[in-house]
Amino acid sequence: MAYQISDECIACGACAAECPVSAISEGDGKYVIDADTCIECGACADTCPVGAPAQA
Ligand code: SF4
Ligand code: SF4
């Protein structure tokens, strides 16, 4: 299952810079993960200061 970013996201952009497959982009007020591109590496969850990304 791909990772998803919850509404806790403060749109800092740190996760997008760490994603090895560029699956994360800026959405409407928060960042979003393209489920078809995500390889479930967990780097976004490790990087996020508020714990917003989680496996769906
Ligand atoms: Fe990118 Fe890995 Fe996060 Fe998926 S789990 S969005 S591949 S950093
Ligand atoms: Fe949002 Fe966390 Fe990504 Fe920052 S690192 S954009 S708070 S999900």
Side-chain angles (χ1 to χ4, degrees):
M1 297 289 281
Y3 277 65
Q4 290 185 344
I5 295 174
S6 76
D7 290 344
E8 300 296 306
C9 175
I10 56 172
C12 71
C15 57
E18 293 297 321
C19 180
V21 293
S22 299
I24 307 174
S25 59
E26 190 168 8
D28 186 13
K30 67 171 201 166
Y31 275 63
V32 292
I33 294 172
D34 177 7
D36 292 333
T37 305
C38 176
I39 57 171
E40 301 160 38
C41 71
C44 52
D46 291 342
T47 302
C48 181
V50 296
Q55 216 154 10

